[in-house]
Amino acid sequence: MALEITDANFDEIVLKSDKPVLVDFWAAWCGPCRMVGPIVDEIHTEYDGKAVVGKVDVDNNQEFAAKYGVRNIPTVLIFKNGEVVDKQVGAAPKKAYTDKIDAAL
């Protein structure tokens, strides 16, 4: 399972990471989010030690979703050195996400 990222731990997990970070902004009621969720969990396992992979439930954690302009979900942001370097809005195939992480490694 991907890490649970909240407003409280976002700085520590995402912005201070020395590895690239994939953050999936999602909600339980979102159909496409339920399609992306298992993909994000797979990526978490495959990139263990190389990248950080986590999810932000936007219903419970709105601060960073608002800060990064997340208006549609699922939105996946790729961070490197605390900065957004790539994004994917809407559901996409696994390769779309892994290509973005690979580019940030």
Side-chain angles (χ1 to χ4, degrees):
M1 289 286 295
L3 298 172
E4 182 180 346
I5 300 173
T6 66
D7 288 343
N9 67 16
F10 195 95
D11 272 347
E12 195 62 41
I13 292 176
V14 179
L15 302 181
K16 294 180 181 174
S17 176
D18 59 351
K19 298 180 180 85
V21 185
L22 180 150
V23 181
D24 173 21
F25 291 86
W26 72 287
W29 49 263
C30 164
C33 298
R34 289 196 297 273
M35 293 171 15
V36 171
I39 295 170
V40 171
D41 289 338
E42 281 178 32
I43 294 169
H44 170 72
T45 302
E46 290 172 20
Y47 282 78
D48 188 34
K50 294 189 282 187
V52 176
V53 178
K55 300 177 179 187
V56 174
D57 181 340
V58 297
D59 284 338
N60 299 323
N61 301 281
Q62 298 175 357
E63 179 184 345
F64 288 95
K67 179 176 178 177
Y68 291 105
V70 174
R71 298 197 191 335
N72 300 303
I73 53 172
T75 291
V76 171
L77 300 180
I78 307 294
F79 289 81
K80 185 171 184 175
N81 301 321
E83 300 290 323
V84 176
V85 294
D86 210 340
K87 76 190 281 185
Q88 172 69 46
V89 179
K94 181 177 177 181
K95 184 166 173 26
Y97 304 112
T98 56
D99 285 351
K100 291 176 188 309
I101 297 175
D102 291 342
L105 285 173

